[in-house]
Amino acid sequence: CFQNVSGLDRDENACQATRLSLALLHLVLLNRLPTSLDIQAGEILQRVQSGKSTLKDYDVVLANPPFVPTVHQETDLKNRLTSYMKNYAVGRVDLYLAFLKIGIEALKPHGFGLFVLPHNFLLAKNATKMREFVSENCWIRCLVDLKDVTVFEDVGSYVVLLIIQRKGTTALPNPNAIFVKCQDFVGTALQYVIEGCQIQTSLFSVYEIEQATFTKDE
């Protein structure tokens, strides 16, 4: 199954760390090291726009996109983001929005995506069109609100985990989404999600909400 795994990051050190992690996992699971791993250094937006990377139909996409606001973007990047996002961004175009769109477009029908996003994705006006894009093309399977938890110590951004499933051509009933509000004990809360349990404590809450919730502006 590792021959079907591919990864891309502009930081070669991150690529090396990923190769090491996957190689060790391969060794543990199959008792041998992999002969090759498709982990490459490069910028996904540039590759998509240049045609060097064709989005495949992936079963699963995982992404922790960089939180680079417009004020810290170089002019070339701003122009490329505007060109790629077109009508899917309003006002300033934050970089993570492009990663989210690319990730969704890379999924096959009923494929799953997991994204680490800034909390303001849920509320910001410039993300309105992408929230609509997500709700029209995907089911929200799990949304984890971690704005009260310090996830990245060197980044002053509040974080959410978004797990989506791309809709297919066959009409299916809308599944409920799992919503997690967490102040602490993130691992324990996520374990309840995996086990399909709803619970409310002083440190975290896990419960179901309807898909219609995500058709609202916020």
Side-chain angles (χ1 to χ4, degrees):
C1 65
F2 280 68
Q3 63 186 5
N4 296 323
V5 174
S6 60
L8 186 70
D9 197 294
R10 65 184 303 172
D11 185 348
E12 178 57 36
N13 289 329
C15 292
Q16 292 286 20
T18 302
R19 294 183 190 108
L20 176 61
S21 296
L22 289 177
L24 292 175
L25 180 60
H26 192 284
L27 180 63
V28 170
L29 295 176
L30 302 176
N31 201 32
R32 56 184 173 83
L33 290 171
T35 56
S36 64
L37 290 170
D38 182 21
I39 307 298
Q40 302 178 33
E43 184 196 291
I44 184 62
L45 179 61
Q46 189 176 55
R47 291 197 174 200
V48 168
Q49 289 181 308
S50 66
K52 292 181 179 179
S53 287
T54 302
L55 296 180
K56 302 177 182 178
D57 290 332
Y58 286 101
D59 293 297
V60 177
V61 169
L62 306 176
N64 178 13
F67 301 171
V68 182
T70 307
V71 293
H72 295 146
Q73 295 171 13
E74 296 178 355
T75 301
D76 175 63
L77 177 58
K78 286 183 182 180
N79 293 336
R80 289 191 290 115
L81 280 172
T82 301
S83 174
Y84 176 71
M85 294 301 294
K86 295 184 174 65
N87 297 328
Y88 291 102
V90 179
R92 71 181 192 277
V93 186
D94 291 329
L95 183 56
Y96 78 89
L97 293 172
F99 276 74
L100 178 59
K101 186 171 183 289
I102 290 170
I104 292 173
E105 291 179 338
L107 285 172
K108 65 170 54 173
H110 300 152
F112 286 87
L114 188 152
F115 303 89
V116 181
L117 302 175
H119 185 270
N120 65 12
F121 171 68
L122 305 180
L123 306 169
K125 272 191 174 180
N126 73 319
T128 300
K129 295 296 183 181
M130 272 308 298
R131 290 197 296 270
E132 292 176 0
F133 179 78
V134 172
S135 63
E136 289 171 2
N137 293 278
C138 307
W139 293 301
I140 311 297
R141 301 308 302 259
C142 185
L143 178 62
V144 184
D145 184 348
L146 298 175
K147 71 178 177 63
D148 295 322
V149 179
T150 302
V151 177
F152 303 119
E153 293 184 358
D154 56 339
V155 178
S157 295
Y158 304 119
V159 172
V160 298
L161 304 181
L162 177 69
I163 301 176
I164 54 96
Q165 183 179 18
R166 185 156 189 178
K167 297 176 182 177
T169 55
T170 305
L172 296 174
N174 287 335
N176 284 343
I178 302 297
F179 182 78
V180 182
K181 175 70 174 175
C182 198
Q183 289 83 36
D184 206 342
F185 288 88
V186 178
T188 304
L190 295 179
Q191 186 62 41
Y192 279 106
V193 173
I194 293 172
E195 295 172 359
C197 299
Q198 300 184 58
I199 186 172
Q200 184 166 353
T201 73
S202 60
L203 296 175
F204 58 81
S205 301
V206 180
Y207 53 93
E208 292 188 359
I209 55 179
E210 296 181 349
Q211 289 295 322
T213 306
F214 303 105
T215 62
K216 301 174 183 178
D217 287 343
E218 297 181 356

